[in-house]
Amino acid sequence: MSKPNKNVNVKLDTKVIDGDSCEVLSIGKKEVGYIKPNNESKFDVIFGENIFHTKSIDEGVETLISQYHLHRG
């Protein structure tokens, strides 16, 4: 017997963090991480103490979601 699918709210909001405009990803009521532009026309993805570098915001969102699922234990 399979489990029914659960709906999960995923939001991407814009906030100012350390003087920079960042995209903040929230899953449910938990803030997962944020994506901030850097000087090289790329993006820094911050998940806890980890920093990843991506070429686009979409790639940053995918990185945050995969890290969230990997570490949510």
Side-chain angles (χ1 to χ4, degrees), residues 3-73:
K3 292 182 181 180
N5 291 336
K6 289 181 9 180
N7 291 333
V8 178
N9 288 334
V10 178
K11 291 190 321 184
L12 190 64
D13 295 321
T14 303
K15 289 186 182 178
V16 176
I17 300 174
D18 297 333
D20 294 324
S21 179
C22 301
E23 300 296 324
V24 178
L25 183 76
S26 301
I27 297 178
K29 294 181 181 179
K30 183 175 181 180
E31 200 171 276
V32 175
Y34 59 95
I35 305 164
K36 113 178 159 175
N38 64 18
N39 296 333
E40 302 168 359
S41 301
K42 296 185 180 180
F43 298 90
D44 294 333
V45 178
I46 292 86
F47 177 78
E49 295 179 4
N50 299 321
I51 298 175
F52 303 94
H53 304 287
T54 61
K55 295 178 183 177
S56 68
I57 291 179
D58 291 337
E59 188 178 334
V61 169
E62 290 176 14
T63 301
L64 283 174
I65 291 172
S66 66
Q67 290 298 312
Y68 172 77
H69 283 294
L70 182 64
H71 296 287
R72 71 179 170 151

